[in-house]
């Protein structure tokens, strides 16, 4: 395998296993610990396979074309003689000459298709080669853009001069800004005979066949950028056609749109500008008959410029930031320009959501048929699919949406077409019924309405649809109307214009989480199978929550339309304003099945994939994947065995058994014992110590107890104490201070030896943060972070698993789920310490239950192999002192 340096043996094994899985069309679960060069192994292994695959394909094409050319003469001579035996028949009952004719026709069609593909490929390669080597071409394109901009500017000035003094058209009762708030005439799909698209849609380049490619997806844009940089450094960096995809929020270069901030607002405004561009021609045709209001179009949505940007993207590997910079320079939209590059790309880099959410996938032009998908950082893949396809909306949001939409309808009733009024009334009715299901009335203040019933109410989806009296409404049509009419954008503009400070829709990030009517409708809809069958009846669930500010109404119809047979919705009533309707996906395999069915091969990779049983059973088995198609690969770490010391500690310094159950962890003696362990460790471990607690509440409780008993003061003499903040925007500041303190202490010497960071499992610091070198010389896990089994969502998931999944090794599926969730969280947290080949650290698991075989076997293999179980604190402390001696020797 080509590699930028001599690979580790485990990297060679990883690449060989990956190559084999792709060649055989398998579904692979690959684990390679952080610090072992997983990204480079994925790049070099996968792109080596793709290069070989393309070469084989081209050789096969050349062979077929050559055999066709050499066989044409013979075919012409033989053809008249073929019908000589009309009565001879094959096994299917067809005459031989008919079968032969069909086969010949199929062969000819295939050869013609290959010839066309060859011509297109040659044309594309020539175009890209020309751009790659012809710098003057770039300057010519740039100069042409400048000339066009100047022409447009002069034309606009001329129009303004001509329009001066023309006066205001007496027919227009609304000003320009308000005119844009009126919904355009809407036609449903049945009424549309033709669907108009881009005027350039018949261009050959848009019809280009999708070449075999690899879709690489990860969780965050920063992880994707990091991957692209690795590709640039690899031997494949120069000749790989790579495209980075992202959301409009990340790729938009139109400052007017970017200023809106919230993703939904940016999406709506972008779609509206596109619609305006497509309607522009019709407006110009009718300009002489009736004056129309001018609609804003996006200056970056130029097909010619986006073609140029597409070619630039394919010529050289670029990450998101470089793509945006190129878009600004070329005055072309990176969002759409990058999509035009997908068919010809060999490697497409994109976030989870774009690949796993089918409507988003289709909108982006992603075709998975016979392609390869690699999902990196996949330890939380099941949770991601569940979150993408679940939705929630609160009572206060429903009431607010109803009030705003009603006022909008009253204001513009005379200007709206009948079809728009019909759909608006349907949406108002849906909102009214949803609020009624929460026990409220849309005409009263939701925060003042008390709900008689409290607790949890579960309903099947059919019961929910009938009891809410919405079973007679076609939710698919309502959801499509919300999407196509851009009603949310119009309503937002209306609220901005007429709503006071108290009623205006807020757009900060905190208020933009998944929710709202459109997403809600989409969730409901998908449960309605065309056959009307529900394999596992979904449930509806209302939840009491602290009300957030009004979320974007545009999400709500999308949600109620999506109820998959395996989804559940729950109700927890409180006051109407605080209550919420929630739809929860129980079976993520329903959506993942489409990915594994279409793809040639799927690779699920991560640094910490243990326990893999969840992926195998909940995701792959339920998705109908043949067990023989699934392949697992797990490799060790590159660090020497002596560089890591994992210890399971069963009791503390005073021989108190360590068992942090919900019943015992609050006992003063347990909190005291934890404090004593930390005091002893801080005396011998230099640099940074990171201590993970099961929850924020428990961490806060323990901290308060230590403060009261004076343990905190003792700890502070050796290590400066930092606490993980709950707010994400404060995490970076705490980490910087933590790192600075450790660096200061190591340079100054003295009594203070570093810092102690109190973190939370599942918090901001348990995932994606590197505690390498002195930042994490010891990682401590206090107790076992089991999820809250009283959570209605979890209870419903457990019930569903017990009904649908077989028992494994004598254990109920619900029990396995709880253990797996716990150990996934543990493995993610303790994996923070070792980040590269020369790193070293100790890991302490404070709970005797970790020594149980069922739990112990769910630790990552490279940690499990080196773990020592210590019944008493003394022997564990002696091992830690040895590590300290080694550290001092190496220093």
């Amino acid at each position: 395998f080509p590699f930028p340096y001599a690979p580790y043996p485990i990297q060679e094994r990883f690449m060989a296993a990956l190559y084999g899985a792709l060649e055989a069309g398998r579904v692979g679960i690959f684990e390679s610990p952080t610090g072992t060069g997983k990204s480079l192994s994925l790049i070099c292994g996968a792109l080596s396979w793709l290069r070989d695959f393309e070469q084989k394909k081209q050789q096969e094409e050349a062979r077929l074309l050559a055999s066709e050319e050499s066989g044409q003469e013979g075919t012409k001579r033989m053809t008249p003689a073929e019908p000589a035996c009309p009565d001879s028949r094959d096994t299917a009952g067809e005459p031989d000459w008919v079968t032969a004719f069909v086969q010949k026709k199929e062969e000819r069609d295939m050869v013609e298709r290959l010839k066309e593909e060859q011509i297109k490929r040659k044309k594309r390669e020539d175009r890209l080669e020309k751009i790659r080597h012809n710098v003057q071409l770039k300057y010519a394109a740039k100069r042409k853009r400048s000339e066009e901009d100047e022409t447009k500017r002069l034309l606009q000035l001329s129009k303004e001069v001509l329009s001066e003094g023309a006066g205001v058209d007496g027919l227009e009762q609304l000003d320009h800004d308000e005119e844009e708030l009126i919904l355009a005439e809407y036609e449903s799909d049945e009424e549309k005979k033709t669907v108009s698209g881009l005027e350039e849609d018949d261009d050959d380049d848009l019809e280009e066949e999708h070449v075999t490619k690899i879709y690489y997806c990860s969780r965050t844009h920063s992880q994707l950028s990091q991957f692209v940089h690795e590709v640039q450094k690899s031997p494949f960096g120069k000749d790989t056609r790579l495209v980075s995809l992202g959301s409009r929020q990340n790729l938009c270069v139109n400052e007017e749109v970017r200023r809106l901030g919230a993703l939904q607002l940016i999406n709506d405004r972008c779609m509206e500008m596109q619609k305006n561009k497509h309607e522009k021609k019709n407006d110009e045709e009718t300009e002489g008959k009736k004056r129309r209001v001018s609609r804003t179009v996006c200056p970056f949505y130029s097909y010619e410029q986006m073609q140029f940007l597409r070619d630039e993207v394919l010529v050289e590997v670029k990450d998101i930031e470089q793509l945006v910079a190129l878009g600004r320079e070329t005055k072309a939209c990176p969002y759409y320009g990058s999509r035009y590059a997908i068919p010809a790309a060999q490697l497409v880099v994109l976030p989870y959501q774009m690949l796993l959410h089918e409507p988003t996938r289709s909108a982006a032009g992603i075709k998975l048929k016979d392609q390869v998908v690699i999902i990196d950082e996949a330890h939380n893949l099941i949770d991601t699919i569940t979150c993408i396809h679940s939705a929630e909306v609160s009572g206060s949001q429903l009431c607010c949406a109803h009030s705003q939409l009603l006022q909008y309808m009253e204001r513009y009733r005379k200007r709206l077409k009948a079809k728009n009024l019909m759909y608006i009334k349907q949406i108002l009715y849906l909102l009214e019924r949803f609020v009624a299901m929460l026990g409220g009335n849309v005409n009263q203040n939701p925060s003042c309405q008390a709900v008689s019933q409290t607790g949890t109410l579960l309903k099947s989806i059919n019961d929910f649809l009938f009891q809410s009296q919405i079973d007679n409404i076609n939710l698919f049509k309502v959801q499509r109307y919300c999407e196509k009419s851009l009603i949310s954008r119009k309503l937002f503009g209306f609220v901005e214009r007429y709503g006071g400070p108290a009623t205006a829709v807020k757009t900060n990030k905190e208020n933009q989480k998944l929710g709202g009517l459109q997403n809600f409708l989409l969730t409901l809809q998908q449960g309605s199978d065309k056959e009307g069958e529900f394999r596992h009846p979904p449930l509806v669930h209302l939840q009491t929550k602290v009300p957030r500010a009004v979320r974007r109404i545009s999400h709500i119809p999308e949600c109620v339309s999506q109820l998959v047979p395996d989804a559940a919705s729950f109700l927890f009533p409180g006051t109407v304003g605080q209550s919420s309707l929630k739809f929860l996906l129980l079976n993520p395999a329903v959506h993942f099945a489409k990915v594994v069915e279409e793809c040639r091969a799927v690779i699920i990779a991560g640094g910490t994939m243990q326990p893999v049983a969840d992926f195998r059973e909940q995701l792959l088995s339920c998705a109908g994947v043949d067990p023989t198609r699934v392949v697992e690969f797990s490799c060790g770490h590159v660090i020497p065995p002596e560089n890591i010391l994992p210890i399971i500690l069963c009791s503390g310094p005073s021989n108190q058994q360590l068992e942090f159950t919900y019943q015992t962890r609050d006992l003063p003696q347990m909190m005291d014992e934890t404090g004593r362990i930390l005091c002893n460790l801080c005396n011998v471990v230099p640099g940074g110590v990171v201590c993970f607690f099961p929850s924020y509440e428990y961490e806060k409780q323990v901290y308060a107890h230590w403060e009261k008993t004076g343990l905190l003061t003792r700890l502070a003499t050796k290590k400066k104490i930092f606490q993980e903040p709950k707010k994400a925007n404060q995490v970076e500041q705490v980490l910087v201070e933590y790192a600075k303190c450790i660096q200061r202490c190591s340079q100054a010497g003295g009594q203070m030896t570093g810092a102690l960071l109190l973190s939370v499992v599942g918090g901001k610091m348990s995932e994606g943060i590197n505690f390498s070198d002195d930042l994490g010389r010891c990682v401590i896990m206090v107790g076992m972070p089991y999820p809250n089994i009283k959570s209605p969502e979890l209870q419903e998931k457990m019930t569903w698993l017990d009904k649908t999944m077989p028992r494994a090794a004598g254990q109920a599926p619900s029990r396995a789920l709880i253990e797996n969730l716990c150990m996934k969280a543990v493995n993610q947290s303790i994996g923070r310490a070792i980040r590269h080949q020369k790193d070293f650290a100790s890991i302490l698991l404070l709970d005797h239950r970790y020594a149980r075989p069922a739990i112990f076997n769910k630790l990552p293999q490279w940690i499990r192999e080196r773990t020592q179980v210590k019944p008493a604190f003394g022997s564990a402390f002696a091992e830690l002192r040895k590590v300290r001696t080694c550290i001092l020797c190496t220093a």
Side-chain angles (χ1 to χ4, degrees):
F1 295 96
F3 216 73
Y5 53 82
Y8 302 126
I10 60 169
Q11 287 179 312
E12 289 179 332
R13 290 200 300 274
F14 185 100
M15 289 186 285
L18 176 64
Y19 192 103
L22 297 180
E23 185 65 23
R26 299 294 186 86
V27 176
I29 302 172
F30 279 65
E31 182 180 52
S32 180
T34 309
T36 56
K38 171 170 56 75
S39 296
L40 262 178
S41 301
L42 281 170
I43 291 162
C44 295
L47 290 178
S48 292
W49 171 83
L50 185 63
R51 179 196 59 194
D52 293 351
F53 177 81
E54 286 177 347
Q55 283 176 359
K56 284 178 199 167
K57 191 178 175 187
Q58 285 177 21
Q59 286 166 5
E60 182 66 16
E61 285 175 8
R63 189 187 63 75
L64 279 169
L65 290 171
S67 64
E68 171 68 15
E69 286 169 12
S70 63
Q72 270 180 348
E73 290 302 316
T75 307
K76 285 176 184 174
R77 285 196 297 272
M78 287 166 66
T79 304
E82 281 174 0
C85 306
D87 294 324
S88 62
R89 295 176 178 270
D90 64 7
T91 52
E94 291 285 355
D96 289 346
W97 68 270
V98 173
T99 308
F101 176 79
V102 170
Q103 285 175 347
K104 288 286 179 189
K105 187 176 185 307
E106 285 174 356
E107 284 173 18
R108 281 198 302 273
D109 290 347
M110 187 169 71
V111 169
E112 285 302 315
R113 194 170 67 249
L114 289 176
K115 284 179 180 175
E116 283 177 22
E117 283 178 13
Q118 269 195 341
I119 292 165
K120 283 185 177 181
R121 186 165 64 237
K122 185 77 170 67
K123 184 179 170 186
R124 181 181 69 234
E125 286 169 359
D126 290 346
R127 187 179 73 233
L128 296 181
E129 198 63 26
K130 192 176 174 185
I131 292 168
R132 191 178 281 116
H133 296 296
N134 194 344
V135 180
Q136 286 185 336
L137 194 70
K138 291 186 183 182
Y139 286 126
K142 199 171 181 180
R143 190 171 64 250
K144 188 183 175 188
R145 284 196 302 274
S146 302
E147 288 169 2
E148 285 174 352
D149 289 347
E150 183 63 18
T151 308
K152 281 180 186 173
R153 192 180 68 81
L154 292 172
L155 189 63
Q156 185 60 35
L157 283 172
S158 305
K159 282 182 179 176
E160 285 172 9
V161 169
L162 286 172
S163 63
E164 276 180 11
V168 180
D169 194 326
L171 293 173
E172 288 192 339
Q173 297 171 1
L174 304 174
D175 63 29
H176 166 79
D177 290 337
E178 195 165 4
E179 190 77 45
E180 288 202 344
L181 299 179
I182 306 293
L183 285 159
E185 188 167 358
Y186 179 77
E187 291 181 343
S188 60
D189 292 341
E190 292 87 344
E191 295 168 319
K192 290 187 181 180
K193 302 297 178 192
T194 57
V195 180
S196 61
L198 281 172
E199 47 266 28
E200 300 89 352
D201 269 357
D202 56 351
D203 191 283
D204 287 341
D205 290 311
L206 276 185
E207 295 172 5
E208 188 172 13
E209 284 292 316
H210 281 240
V211 302
T212 302
K213 59 175 62 60
I214 295 165
Y215 287 99
Y216 171 90
C217 52
S218 194
R219 204 163 45 90
T220 63
H221 281 288
S222 61
Q223 286 168 342
L224 293 172
S225 289
Q226 194 178 340
F227 179 81
V228 172
H229 293 153
E230 292 286 346
V231 174
Q232 289 169 333
K233 289 187 288 184
S234 79
F236 298 91
K238 295 292 181 192
D239 54 4
T240 298
R241 299 190 299 276
L242 181 146
V243 178
S244 295
L245 300 182
S247 63
R248 287 183 176 90
Q249 201 169 27
N250 292 98
L251 290 173
C252 181
V253 290
N254 186 330
E255 288 305 321
E256 180 207 328
V257 179
R258 282 175 69 85
R259 275 198 296 271
L260 293 170
L263 178 61
Q264 189 61 44
L265 295 179
I266 291 172
N267 286 343
D268 287 348
R269 184 60 177 148
C270 176
M271 296 295 289
E272 187 178 40
M273 284 178 153
Q274 274 186 70
K275 200 173 176 183
N276 293 343
K277 183 178 176 70
H278 298 152
E279 288 173 353
K280 202 176 177 185
K281 281 190 174 180
N282 298 335
D283 288 355
E284 284 169 1
E285 286 167 14
T286 57
E287 199 172 355
K289 301 172 190 173
K290 182 181 175 183
R291 183 164 178 253
R292 295 287 297 265
V293 63
S294 63
R295 296 180 185 275
T296 312
V297 296
C298 182
F300 297 92
Y301 192 70
S302 156
Y303 181 68
E304 189 181 340
Q305 295 312 128
M306 288 191 291
Q307 267 190 316
F308 179 78
L309 183 131
R310 172 200 65 187
D311 292 342
E312 282 288 325
V313 165
L314 293 171
V315 162
E316 188 182 11
V317 173
K318 292 176 177 65
D319 65 13
I320 291 280
E321 288 75 22
Q322 292 165 325
L323 185 57
V324 169
L326 181 65
R328 289 201 174 99
E329 184 193 327
T330 57
K331 289 194 165 59
C333 175
Y335 180 74
Y336 284 103
S338 59
R339 290 182 175 204
Y340 289 148
I342 292 174
Q346 294 167 307
L347 182 57
V348 179
V349 177
L350 68 166
Y352 274 178
Q353 288 79 354
M354 288 187 81
L355 186 103
L356 299 172
H357 187 236
E358 195 180 11
T360 309
R361 196 163 68 229
S362 302
I366 293 166
K367 295 179 181 176
L368 296 181
K369 185 69 178 165
D370 296 329
Q371 309 292 13
V372 170
V373 165
I374 296 176
I375 302 172
D376 201 1
E377 301 298 332
H379 54 271
N380 56 2
L381 179 61
I382 294 173
D383 293 340
T384 302
I385 298 171
T386 302
C387 289
I388 290 171
H389 297 95
S390 298
E392 182 177 6
V393 61
S394 73
S396 60
Q397 290 163 6
L398 291 167
C399 289
C400 191
H402 185 278
S403 167
Q404 291 168 1
L405 192 57
L406 187 65
Q407 290 174 67
Y408 175 87
M409 186 181 75
E410 293 301 328
R411 166 74 180 158
Y412 302 119
R413 184 185 287 273
K414 292 179 182 176
R415 303 292 298 268
L416 293 169
K417 302 288 181 184
K419 188 76 75 173
N420 281 317
L421 282 171
M422 181 194 79
Y423 277 112
I424 288 173
K425 284 177 180 176
Q426 282 192 348
I427 295 170
L428 286 169
Y429 176 74
L430 285 173
L431 292 167
E432 189 181 318
R433 295 314 308 159
F434 291 155
V435 173
M437 287 298 288
L438 290 167
N441 186 323
V442 288
N443 299 316
Q444 294 173 21
N445 186 335
S447 53
C448 299
Q449 295 181 65
V451 177
S452 56
Q453 187 173 0
T454 56
T456 303
L457 180 64
L458 300 172
K459 290 181 182 291
S460 73
I461 185 55
N462 284 335
D463 285 349
F464 175 75
L465 290 171
F466 284 109
Q467 286 180 27
S468 59
Q469 297 170 19
I470 60 168
D471 54 298
N472 58 338
I473 290 179
N474 186 328
L475 297 175
F476 290 96
K477 283 190 174 182
V478 176
Q479 186 268 326
R480 184 151 181 84
Y481 172 77
C482 290
E483 185 186 321
K484 293 294 177 187
S485 69
L486 299 174
I487 187 170
S488 59
R489 169 71 199 164
K490 307 291 184 184
L491 191 59
F492 179 77
F494 173 72
V495 173
E496 267 192 328
R497 186 179 178 89
Y498 291 108
T503 57
V505 177
K506 298 185 174 123
T507 62
N508 59 53
K509 287 183 182 177
E510 195 174 335
N511 301 329
Q512 301 307 320
K513 295 176 184 171
L514 181 68
L517 184 57
Q518 196 165 330
N519 282 335
F520 193 62
L521 278 182
L522 191 54
T523 311
L524 251 189
Q525 227 175 42
Q526 290 189 356
S528 314
D529 274 353
K530 289 185 180 173
E531 297 81 26
E533 291 176 4
F534 295 98
R535 287 169 294 160
H536 309 291
L539 302 167
V540 186
H541 149 233
L542 297 166
Q543 181 176 3
T544 306
K545 294 192 80 170
V546 176
R548 298 187 181 119
V550 182
R551 293 178 190 155
R552 292 292 293 122
I553 183 178
S554 65
H555 293 299
I556 306 178
E558 191 183 340
C559 287
V560 191
S561 58
Q562 223 188 77
L563 263 181
V564 187
D566 303 312
S569 24
F570 305 84
L571 309 171
F572 300 87
T575 66
V576 171
Q578 291 173 324
S579 300
S580 66
L581 242 119
K582 185 169 183 178
F583 287 83
L584 175 71
L585 181 73
L586 291 179
N587 185 5
V590 170
H591 295 283
F592 195 65
K594 293 172 185 174
V595 176
V596 289
E597 280 166 18
E598 291 185 9
C599 290
R600 174 197 173 92
V602 177
I603 304 297
I604 303 168
T608 310
M609 298 297 287
Q610 291 291 339
V612 294
D614 278 359
F615 297 103
R616 242 190 355 254
E617 290 154 19
Q618 284 188 49
L619 210 54
L620 303 179
S621 178
C622 288
V625 178
D626 186 339
T628 57
R629 194 186 168 199
V630 180
V631 52
E632 287 179 31
F633 176 87
S634 180
C635 63
H637 213 294
V638 291
I639 57 165
E642 64 272 12
N643 279 29
I644 182 170
L645 176 63
I647 293 175
I648 295 173
L649 192 58
C650 300
S651 60
S654 63
N655 291 325
Q656 168 76 47
Q657 188 187 45
L658 300 176
E659 185 174 358
F660 293 86
T661 62
Y662 285 114
Q663 291 77 28
T664 61
R665 69 182 192 180
D666 296 340
L667 297 173
Q669 58 265 37
M670 287 300 290
M671 292 189 276
D672 288 339
E673 197 73 343
T674 310
R676 282 191 285 271
I677 292 168
L678 276 175
C679 280
N680 280 289
L681 291 177
C682 290
N683 283 331
V684 295
V685 177
V689 175
V690 184
C691 182
F692 285 102
F693 289 88
S695 66
Y696 282 103
E697 290 70 27
Y698 188 58
E699 186 265 334
K700 194 175 173 184
Q701 185 183 349
V702 171
Y703 189 88
H705 180 78
W706 289 348
E707 209 168 24
K708 194 167 68 178
T709 59
L711 255 167
L712 208 61
T713 314
R714 280 170 57 195
L715 277 171
T717 57
K718 284 289 181 184
K719 306 275 185 192
K720 185 172 179 183
I721 299 167
F722 293 86
Q723 287 177 280
E724 178 179 330
K726 268 194 173 182
K727 291 185 178 174
N729 59 357
Q730 296 171 356
V731 170
E732 190 63 35
Q733 186 187 344
V734 171
L735 283 171
V736 168
E737 290 298 320
Y738 173 72
K740 278 182 183 173
C741 175
I742 291 167
Q743 193 177 7
R744 256 194 328 266
C745 293
S746 66
Q747 288 169 353
Q751 190 181 6
M752 187 78 79
T753 60
L756 169 64
L757 178 61
L758 305 179
S759 301
V760 176
V761 175
K764 312 291 182 298
M765 294 179 183
S766 66
E767 212 175 302
I769 305 285
N770 291 345
F771 293 111
S772 59
D773 302 318
D774 277 350
L775 294 182
R777 289 301 178 207
C778 182
V779 173
I780 302 163
M781 177 64 62
V782 177
M784 297 186 71
Y786 282 110
N788 178 14
I789 56 168
K790 292 182 180 176
S791 154
E793 287 97 332
L794 188 57
Q795 283 184 348
E796 194 54 41
K797 177 94 175 176
M798 288 164 70
T799 306
W800 178 79
L801 282 173
D802 284 340
K803 281 180 185 173
T804 57
M805 305 285 288
R807 291 174 74 88
Q811 191 179 39
S814 56
R815 181 65 200 167
L817 172 74
I818 296 296
E819 282 185 4
N820 289 344
L821 288 172
C822 168
M823 292 310 293
K824 262 193 199 319
V826 169
N827 294 341
Q828 272 303 305
S829 301
I830 62 179
R832 305 292 96 210
I834 303 290
R835 312 307 282 180
H836 58 84
Q837 188 186 13
K838 294 180 181 176
D839 206 355
F840 54 88
S842 49
I843 296 169
L844 251 76
L845 304 174
L846 307 187
D847 200 305
H848 76 95
R849 291 175 294 172
Y850 282 110
R852 291 175 183 169
I855 303 292
F856 184 79
N857 290 329
K858 287 176 181 175
L859 286 168
Q861 184 186 341
W862 64 280
I863 291 179
R864 190 170 66 236
E865 287 169 350
R866 305 165 191 186
T867 301
Q868 301 178 28
V869 179
K870 299 290 183 183
F873 180 74
S875 56
F877 191 64
E879 290 291 337
L880 288 163
R881 288 182 76 92
K882 281 184 203 171
V883 173
R884 189 196 181 202
T885 310
C886 292
I887 292 169
L888 293 173
C889 290
T890 53

